[in-house]
Amino acid sequence: MALRPGARAWAVWSAGLAAYTIAVLHRTSLGVAGLDAQHRFHIGAGALASFAVLQLLVYAGLQVPVGLLLDRFGSLRLVVSGALVMAAGQALMATTHSIGGAVAARVLVGAGDAMTFISVLRLVPQWFPARRVPVLTQMTGLVGQAGQVLSAVPLAAVLAGPGWTTAFIGAAGAGVFVAIVAFAALHDTPERRISSGPAITLGRLGRDLREAWRHPGTRLGLWTHFTTQFTGTVFALMWGFPFLIAGEGLRRTTASTLLTLFVLVGMAAGPLIGMLVQRHPLRRSWLVLGVITTNALGWGLVLAWPGRAPLPVLVLLIVALGLGGPGSMIGFDYARTFNPPNRLGTATGVVNVGGFVASLLTIELIGLILDARTGGRADYGIADFKIAMAVQYLVGAVGLVGILRNRRLARRRMAEEGVVVRPLREVLAQRRRLAPRPVVKAKT
């Protein structure tokens, strides 16, 4: 593969990125429409949360099967199929007035969404040299998050103006458009437009999944994704807009601006984290732990603030949450470096389960706590939200234990293979010993 990718490689990546961006728009559309959905379907916080939980449950449950299908059928077919399935879900959401119809719509969105991200991610090592993969992996995940801006600003504006049906029909139209673009522009590899892998058999399916899961590096990727991603996903997908408006008392326009800032922070931090991963691959876990600590401190400041937090404090929270997306992408780098190419789709699917399982559990727990506090009424106060949001620390603690345990196991496996990861304190101590001492000239 050429060291400098050509215009064709960038065109393929851009088409995949457009498909992923619209997938994120579909994924997060219910978050900005949460309060409208409660009035349209006459439901409480717990039932509203169950919509998002079901969507994420479908998404997470399909990650491993989609990973296997990706290894078999390639990116093009899965990206196009996913875009059309999500468009169908949004069209149904636009027209239904029943809870059953809304549930079916979110199932379709979750299923199509599951096909998109890892399929686009699979294109990167096919079209770009290995040295560019960590940064472009970050860019894929983070530029795609511009879909949150599309839901937080134009979709929210259409909801507040023309209304529900127009907003979701517009989202469905965007899905059909990117399906056409993907069909026209995507190629699975530089050599073949459609690349098919070996046929899926039960034996191969079980072997690939078993070998991917057995490697502690894959599990380290899963727990990394689990712990770094869920706080931002919970905020953007479901509870951020209600928290800022009903809890903190902000106007819709201000809340939309903060959600836009959330995306911009991730887009700015992603390339930096990608370069650090590229230059210091044996120190990736320290970046992960730094992101987790920053998220915990951001929420701790807001939850400990008496009453409603001032806008600068909320901005600090948004900046902290914005680092979660780039941090979660390190999980996919673990999958790439600890697994051979023939099971990369499977390993990536396993990793991608983590953050969305954590997110769906947290979304549902927050909804149940809010319902318990208000008796199912949608009149939440800041005290209700503070108690509900604090449950994130419990979920994060579970993930942190998983990271530390599997980091130890992965390092042991690497040592068996001849790669020794020295403790960071030893590396820093050696650098201090080797650092040149300043020359002090004698006075004359």
Side-chain angles (χ1 to χ4, degrees):
M1 183 179 293
L3 293 178
R4 290 184 177 275
R8 188 176 172 217
W10 293 110
V12 168
W13 181 67
S14 298
L17 198 56
Y20 178 52
T21 300
I22 298 303
V24 174
L25 162 66
H26 295 320
R27 181 193 303 169
T28 57
S29 58
L30 187 61
V32 299
L35 298 176
D36 300 271
Q38 286 189 265
H39 291 102
R40 182 179 180 90
F41 301 113
H42 307 291
I43 54 175
L48 177 64
S50 69
F51 285 3
V53 166
L54 180 61
Q55 175 186 333
L56 289 179
L57 189 62
V58 171
Y59 181 100
L62 287 178
Q63 282 305 297
V64 173
V66 166
L68 294 165
L69 291 173
L70 179 58
D71 289 336
R72 172 67 177 90
F73 296 109
S75 297
L76 186 152
R77 284 181 280 195
L78 265 67
V79 170
V80 172
S81 299
L84 293 176
V85 169
M86 284 185 283
Q90 295 291 60
L92 177 58
M93 182 64 86
T95 55
T96 187
H97 289 269
S98 69
I99 294 178
V103 166
R106 299 320 287 180
V107 167
L108 290 172
V109 169
D113 192 10
M115 300 180 194
T116 306
F117 177 61
I118 64 173
S119 299
V120 176
L121 210 60
R122 175 68 173 265
L123 293 168
V124 175
Q126 296 288 346
W127 283 90
F128 294 90
R131 66 183 180 85
R132 290 180 178 261
V133 170
V135 174
L136 282 171
T137 296
Q138 286 283 349
M139 294 301 295
T140 301
L142 297 168
V143 176
Q145 295 306 308
Q148 292 185 38
V149 179
L150 296 178
S151 63
V153 182
L155 183 66
V158 176
L159 279 167
W164 180 279
T165 300
T166 302
F168 282 96
I169 286 293
V176 173
F177 175 75
V178 295
I180 295 170
V181 170
F183 183 77
L186 286 188
H187 286 67
D188 287 337
T189 70
E191 295 79 24
R192 302 184 64 181
R193 183 166 188 263
I194 296 177
S195 179
S196 298
I200 298 175
T201 64
L202 288 177
R204 177 175 172 267
L205 186 154
R207 182 176 64 255
D208 284 356
L209 183 57
R210 185 168 57 251
E211 291 177 357
W213 177 255
R214 280 180 175 174
H215 201 297
T218 305
R219 299 197 301 273
L220 177 58
L222 180 144
W223 287 110
T224 293
H225 197 262
F226 181 103
T227 317
T228 53
Q229 194 223 34
F230 83 97
T231 52
T233 299
V234 168
F235 197 85
L237 188 66
M238 184 77 262
W239 291 119
F241 227 65
F243 170 74
L244 294 174
I245 294 174
E248 295 290 350
L250 301 183
R251 294 176 298 176
R252 279 179 176 262
T253 53
T254 306
S256 294
T257 301
L258 288 178
L259 287 178
T260 302
L261 176 64
F262 168 79
V263 177
L264 295 177
V265 169
M267 293 173 67
L272 175 61
I273 290 179
M275 287 187 289
L276 291 173
V277 168
Q278 178 181 325
R279 295 178 182 178
H280 307 285
L282 299 182
R283 303 299 168 193
R284 291 173 290 188
S285 61
W286 286 104
L287 285 171
V288 170
L289 295 175
V291 169
I292 294 168
T293 301
T294 304
N295 279 325
L297 291 175
W299 268 117
L301 180 61
V302 170
L303 297 182
W305 199 275
R308 290 175 168 173
L311 186 60
V313 172
L314 295 176
V315 169
L316 290 176
L317 171 64
I318 296 299
V319 171
L321 294 179
L323 300 177
S328 71
M329 299 302 293
I330 298 174
F332 298 112
D333 203 61
Y334 284 128
R336 179 182 64 86
T337 55
F338 284 116
N339 289 274
N342 65 292
R343 68 165 189 256
L344 180 58
T346 303
T348 302
V350 170
V351 169
N352 208 25
V353 168
F356 291 97
V357 168
S359 298
L360 70 88
L361 289 174
T362 308
I363 286 171
E364 185 63 23
L365 286 172
I366 290 172
L368 292 174
I369 293 171
L370 287 174
D371 270 353
R373 293 275 301 176
T374 65
R377 300 184 307 275
D379 54 348
Y380 320 117
I382 187 60
D384 305 317
F385 270 110
K386 285 187 175 184
I387 292 173
M389 292 298 189
V391 77
Q392 295 176 98
Y393 285 98
L394 175 62
V395 179
V398 173
L400 184 59
V401 171
I403 288 173
L404 296 177
R405 179 176 183 275
N406 284 284
R407 181 176 71 164
R408 184 176 67 253
L409 295 174
R411 288 179 173 178
R412 184 183 303 169
R413 172 72 71 90
M414 293 170 69
E416 293 171 356
E417 296 171 352
V419 180
V420 179
V421 182
R422 296 167 57 201
L424 184 60
R425 61 180 179 275
E426 291 184 10
V427 175
L428 295 176
Q430 183 182 30
R431 288 181 179 177
R432 285 195 297 269
R433 288 196 300 270
L434 296 177
R437 298 178 180 276
V439 177
V440 180
K441 295 182 178 180
K443 295 183 178 179
T444 59

